Amino acid sequence: MPLVKIFALRSLTKPIPLSSLQSKMCGIWGTKPATTKILLSRIDDWTGDTFDEDCYVDIRAYGKPERTREVVLEGIKRVQEAFKEEGLIANVRLETYEGERYFHVPPSAPEEGS
């Protein structure tokens, strides 16, 4: 499950269309919307002015064998392009994890009559 965390300054006035970006992320990484979570955090400030970015994008994804360094780097470029298509400059990082070290406890389904 790719987890895409988008950080943007509260002062950013450009829209960040999450549904459109989720669709593009699914196309780039070959995933489904049900397993591609996108979170947007509006923040007050961040350090450094090294890059002229609208968003800092932090992606965590399962380290499949086919996700080689070259494939991931190409995917990151495509993610930047997807943000650019939405009028946003993105600084993107991606970290992979091993499946045996991933744990997830979703909330319980609501009980009937609740």
Side-chain angles (χ1 to χ4, degrees):
M1 164 171 68
L3 172 61
V4 181
K5 296 179 276 186
I6 303 170
F7 298 91
L9 293 173
R10 288 186 203 283
S11 59
L12 180 70
T13 58
K14 297 177 184 179
I16 302 174
L18 298 184
S19 294
S20 175
L21 289 167
Q22 181 188 45
S23 176
K24 292 176 183 191
M25 295 303 110
C26 290
I28 291 167
W29 302 112
T31 58
K32 296 181 182 350
T35 59
T36 305
K37 185 76 144 188
I38 298 188
L39 304 173
L40 172 61
S41 295
R42 295 284 187 164
I43 58 174
D44 293 322
D45 203 2
W46 55 37
T47 60
D49 293 325
T50 307
F51 305 103
D52 184 26
E53 70 223 50
D54 295 317
C55 305
Y56 182 84
V57 182
D58 182 20
I59 303 171
R60 183 181 51 86
Y62 183 72
K64 297 179 179 182
E66 60 269 21
R67 287 189 180 147
T68 63
R69 179 172 179 76
E70 293 77 20
V71 168
V72 168
L73 289 173
E74 180 59 31
I76 289 173
K77 289 177 188 173
R78 291 177 62 200
V79 168
Q80 282 184 319
E81 185 59 34
F83 275 78
K84 187 175 181 180
E85 289 169 4
E86 301 293 345
L88 298 162
I89 299 169
N91 183 0
V92 183
R93 75 175 289 274
L94 185 141
E95 181 176 343
T96 58
Y97 64 88
E98 295 179 35
E100 295 77 33
R101 295 179 183 221
Y102 172 75
F103 306 94
H104 176 226
V105 180
S108 300
E111 293 183 25
E112 244 181 82
S114 296

